[in-house]
Amino acid sequence: MALSQHLVQKQTQRLIITQDLRQSIELLPLSNLELQDRIQKELLENPLLEEAPESEAAPSSETDQAPEAIEQAANAVETRHEFEGEDNWQSHSREFAEDRAAAAERSERKNQFLQNSVRSGESLSDHLLWQLRLSEINEAQMRAGEVLISAIDDRGFLVEPPEELLTGSGISAADAEAALQAIYQLDPIGCGARNIQESLYVQARLLKPEEGDALLLLESHFEELEKLDYKRIERISGLDRERIEAALSFIRTLEPYPGTLYAQRPPEYIIPDVVIAEIDGAIEVIVNDDWLPGLRVNEEYKSMLRGGGNAADREYLQARLASAQWLIKSVRQRRATLYRVTRSITEFQDEFFRHGPSALKPLTLRMVAEKVELHESTVSRITTNKYAQTRWGVFELKYFFSSSLRSSTGDAAHSSRSIQDRIKQLVDQEDIAEPLSDQQIVELVRREGVEIARRTVAKYRKLLRIPAADRRKKVNQLNARPESARGDRNN
């Protein structure tokens, strides 16, 4: 049978993501600070893009609010957070009503102030090195100590074996051990250990070598000590309950992560992307991007496209013009999308913004996506790295999405986050002598009309980093011991 070839036309539908669409999607998850960096980079690289003066800044969408509305919303928000170095959000919001050029100048002064005033403290490595160089050790031990200190992490732990770090250095094992012992004694004591157990043991040995019970527990019964399993410790160590508790009181004065005393982290500033406030009885949304530069196309360069010039120049200018127009359009679309999605969130979570976190309702990406007629992935991107300033504090927009738990009437009326808040409240209010078990918490929550399983309570408790009832009881008993019965680290 002979095979034949034919040309056939067929219509198909395919989703093709253009370069412009891909770049527009990339802008959605950017925070305002990241978007500002992106705009500044484009302003430097693209001659056809320039910053528009305030007098020519055209409204970007129906979401533009008057400066008076922004100031009114800011004054309605009771904030407890610093904002870009200002004393509070209210003082910063008043700048929105002023000329953009003056506001930009003040912003530059504030940024310069922050850069000059926020000093990076002494690092852990520097702190250890200058002490080591004052130690009475030989040259080989000094070289070994410098290598070992360079491998100590922010917790104060030496995670790599010394023999591997010093391979090929010609330093003897004895000199390496001497250097490590010298590092142990530097401030903070215990740095250079491999883990928490070894760090606590080193601290106990150096601070109070006479505390034999504490050294025994740290060296041989650390696992039981973590579980506060007094009965097993008594059985295998021969110590009675009183001696165990006395040793544990001393151990609790030690620092499990000695390096954290000097670990430096750069300050992180959160600038709310939106302000949500109750104004005249209505929940209002104000997009906080007035401080971003306005953009426009440079008409002088654009006119060159209508004139002469060689093909290469015209091709370059055409590409830069398309890039400038895309960025202006994408920034406006991003702003409009952020406003629409946030407005939808406020409608779903109206009770939260009026009464606080305990009134948070179940909400999914699909519910918002259907309301604003966008895809779920778009809603997910626009709520990524975005923060809302509310009277209850600053929250990531993702916070307002929560799974649901059914009530006793069969309705999905309770969000998982509100239940977690309720569990935390119950634990905070419990009798420290008789902490609530998971089953007791289940019964209390069910009385409030929420159907919840014990394993769900256990899961939420772990998410909240709340220990089990028996462990809370043991910790409470230790905390209730008189201060005189505890070890004094400084003695």
Side-chain angles (χ1 to χ4, degrees), residues 119-132:
R119 299 177 54 193
S120 58
E122 185 181 31
S123 69
L124 177 63
S125 296
D126 293 339
H127 185 67
L128 294 175
L129 280 173
W130 78 262
Q131 295 179 79
L132 183 70

Side-chain angles (χ1 to χ4, degrees), residues 218-285:
L218 290 171
E219 183 178 23
S220 305
H221 310 291
F222 188 72
E223 184 177 346
E224 292 81 8
L225 198 63
E226 284 185 308
K227 299 177 181 179
L228 299 177
D229 191 349
Y230 294 147
K231 292 183 179 179
R232 179 172 173 80
I233 295 176
E234 289 177 22
R235 186 172 64 254
I236 61 180
S237 69
L239 301 177
D240 58 32
R241 181 66 170 267
E242 185 177 353
R243 291 176 62 182
I244 293 173
E245 290 186 352
L248 185 56
S249 295
F250 165 65
I251 292 173
R252 292 174 70 244
T253 66
L254 307 177
E255 177 56 58
Y257 301 103
T260 56
L261 300 173
Y262 286 89
Q264 300 296 320
R265 293 184 179 180
E268 297 182 1
Y269 299 96
I270 295 178
I271 298 181
D273 299 86
V274 291
V275 179
I276 303 174
E278 184 178 355
I279 302 176
D280 297 331
I283 302 299
E284 299 292 343
V285 175

Side-chain angles (χ1 to χ4, degrees), residues 424-469:
K424 187 176 185 305
Q425 291 175 7
L426 290 172
V427 172
D428 290 341
Q429 298 168 3
E430 68 185 2
D431 183 357
I432 61 174
E434 293 295 334
L436 296 172
S437 66
D438 291 347
Q439 185 58 41
Q440 289 174 318
I441 294 176
V442 168
E443 294 171 358
L444 290 173
V445 173
R446 282 180 176 174
R447 292 176 190 172
E448 299 174 2
V450 181
E451 287 296 327
I452 189 171
R454 188 183 62 80
R455 62 178 179 274
T456 305
V457 170
K459 181 179 73 172
Y460 288 168
R461 179 174 50 74
K462 291 178 181 178
L463 289 174
L464 295 169
R465 297 183 178 180
I466 298 175

Side-chain angles (χ1 to χ4, degrees), residues 462-475:
K462 291 178 181 178
L463 289 174
L464 295 169
R465 297 183 178 180
I466 298 175
D470 58 342
R471 187 171 182 84
R472 297 202 303 275
K473 183 175 182 178
K474 292 177 181 178
V475 172

Side-chain angles (χ1 to χ4, degrees), residues 306-320:
R306 297 189 291 268
N310 57 56
D313 291 342
R314 290 174 57 83
E315 182 180 356
Y316 170 78
L317 291 175
Q318 188 64 47
R320 295 293 87 192

